[in-house]
Amino acid sequence: TDHIGSKTVLESMEIEHLTARNHGFIFHCSYIDHNGKAILFTAPSETGKSTQADLWAKYRGTEIINGDRAAIRLAEGQLLAEGIPFAGSSQYCKNRSLPIEAIIYLDQAPVTTIRKLRGYEAFSKIWEGVSVNTWDREDMELVSGVVQKVAEQIPIYHMPCTPDENAVIVLEETLRKQVSK
């Protein structure tokens, strides 16, 4: 049986703490570089984050920065996705910092659809993927403030989808319309 050692737990707690104190949080997501901007796929484990990242790499040649986690940080007024030195079950673990284009909350579905989330719904879908020391009140306050800024400033989409190129096409069209507005 695999056991998580106390050293691993302590290291992860310290990283969460340091990230919180530097205006950010650790986020459970697959992180890809889409034309110099970050797209972050988030969802509960085994929903298809890595699958969607792999589809973008296969069909659009995008680079996967991290398949399991990223840091999201507010730096000089800009929200950035940053690679972190943990790959989880993924093989991808690159040190790259990019402005965030969109966050996509995934579900599995027989047909791909997409809709923009706003307000509390956007905040709660992001919060699901946040790693924070819940017993540290100051960390919680700092992180919830950054999550609120993400929910207000970054396009958040809910995309129930299929594990095929159609999901890439639907998201790509949505992002294209977003830019042209």
Side-chain angles (χ1 to χ4, degrees), residues 30-41 56 62 72 78-82 97-104 114 116 150-157 168 171-180:
S30 283
Y31 164 17
I32 65 170
D33 177 345
H34 177 242
N35 300 324
K37 291 192 175 179
I39 295 177
L40 307 176
F41 296 103
W56 276 79
T62 60
I72 293 181
Q78 185 175 36
L79 288 159
L80 302 171
E82 298 185 342
S97 180
L98 296 171
I100 303 169
E101 180 174 12
I103 297 174
I104 316 304
I114 192 166
K116 193 167 189 176
V150 171
E152 292 168 353
Q153 297 177 20
I154 301 296
I156 315 294
Y157 295 97
V168 174
L171 179 54
E172 194 172 47
E173 288 173 359
T174 300
L175 295 174
R176 196 174 300 123
K177 289 176 191 167
Q178 172 183 298
V179 171
S180 63

Side-chain angles (χ1 to χ4, degrees), residues 93-145:
C93 182
K94 297 176 182 159
N95 183 12
R96 179 92 44 84
S97 180
L98 296 171
I100 303 169
E101 180 174 12
I103 297 174
I104 316 304
Y105 186 89
L106 300 170
D107 272 318
Q108 295 175 354
V111 176
T112 299
T113 58
I114 192 166
R115 72 181 177 88
K116 193 167 189 176
L117 302 178
R118 289 180 169 75
Y120 177 75
E121 192 177 21
F123 180 96
S124 67
K125 292 301 184 192
I126 297 164
W127 191 259
E128 278 184 36
V130 171
S131 293
V132 63
N133 300 321
T134 55
W135 58 88
D136 186 315
R137 185 175 173 177
E138 190 175 348
D139 282 4
M140 285 286 290
E141 288 174 4
L142 290 167
V143 169
S144 65

Side-chain angles (χ1 to χ4, degrees), residues 8 20 27-28 38 45-46 49 52 65 77 79 86-87 100 103 109-110 112 129 134 139 148 150 155 174:
T8 304
F27 192 52
H28 185 224
S45 293
E46 304 301 317
K49 296 177 298 298
Q52 290 301 315
I65 306 302
L79 288 159
F86 298 101
I100 303 169
I103 297 174
T112 299
T134 55
D139 282 4
Q148 185 172 348
V150 171
T174 300

